Amino acid sequence: MAARSQYEELARQLTAVGAVKRGLARALPPECPGGSAAVLTLLARHGEMRMSRLSELMAVDMSVTSRHVAHVAERGWIERSPDPADRRSRILRLTPDGHAQLDELTRRTTEMFARNLRDWSDEDVGRLSSLLSRLRDSFSCRGAGGCAPGRHTGECRNRLGDDAYTRTPV
């Protein structure tokens, strides 16, 4: 186990990650803020779904999800059609314009990282990605059906599904 001072430094560093998130937000076009990017990303990753499912994946209230969905629908990036199983519900799916917008978001985000991390080696970028994934696992797998502390095997992803890993847009 790491020393307490290492955990304190980790907490300081993770707090400072806010600067990276703000940089990511600046890379997004004004017409597609973070919530809209999250909607597009989740629909691309998981396919068509009801708004209630999208709200779960985004880990936000249904009213917040509804505002994000309205925003992307107004721009023609998603379509809302009646759910054949329950006509009161709507199924959300990406349109070709939505796929194109997501491609643009991905391009912008990738270029932002490439520009800011140009002095990092491929190995360093890969190591950071692996460690961040491991950190996310350590927090995500502690619930019901998850791993016991210190006993993470990765099997919790199979039991919990990838839903716990979808919150980050683009």
Side-chain angles (χ1 to χ4, degrees):
M1 182 185 277
R4 181 177 180 87
S5 62
Q6 288 180 298
Y7 292 127
E8 290 169 354
E9 178 59 20
L10 177 59
R12 280 190 291 279
Q13 293 300 326
L14 287 175
T15 300
V17 167
V20 175
K21 290 183 78 168
R22 286 186 296 279
L24 282 168
R26 283 190 300 274
L28 298 176
E31 70 275 8
C32 190
S36 297
V39 169
L40 299 177
T41 300
L42 291 169
L43 287 172
R45 187 173 297 150
H46 295 280
E48 62 183 42
M49 67 184 75
R50 289 181 177 180
M51 189 160 357
S52 57
R53 177 72 176 131
L54 181 61
S55 185
E56 290 172 15
L57 290 172
M58 291 180 71
V60 297
D61 187 77
M62 185 70 98
S63 63
V64 174
T65 304
S66 182
R67 283 193 301 274
H68 293 313
V69 165
H71 182 84
V72 297
E74 287 168 6
R75 281 150 184 80
W77 298 333
I78 67 166
E79 62 183 18
R80 298 178 276 196
S81 39
D83 183 345
D86 180 357
R87 290 289 196 197
R88 297 168 297 171
S89 296
R90 298 279 179 252
I91 297 292
L92 310 174
R93 70 180 55 81
L94 280 177
T95 64
D97 285 347
H99 283 286
Q101 181 64 33
L102 187 56
D103 289 345
E104 174 64 12
L105 298 176
T106 301
R107 184 193 63 76
R108 286 171 174 248
T109 302
T110 301
E111 285 178 2
M112 190 267 315
F113 276 116
R115 189 173 48 257
N116 286 288
L117 303 181
R118 68 179 167 266
D119 58 340
W120 288 42
S121 69
D122 288 351
E123 182 180 281
D124 285 345
V125 173
R127 188 173 326 129
L128 176 63
S129 292
S130 294
L131 289 171
L132 287 172
S133 178
R134 184 176 170 193
L135 177 67
R136 186 181 60 203
D137 284 348
S138 292
F139 278 80
S140 297
C141 72
R142 298 298 186 244
C147 301
R151 307 241 187 260
H152 177 67
T153 63
E155 289 300 311
C156 57
R157 278 193 182 195
N158 296 332
R159 289 191 304 273
L160 299 174
D162 270 345
D163 297 350
Y165 308 99
T166 57
R167 192 149 181 223
T168 306
V170 184

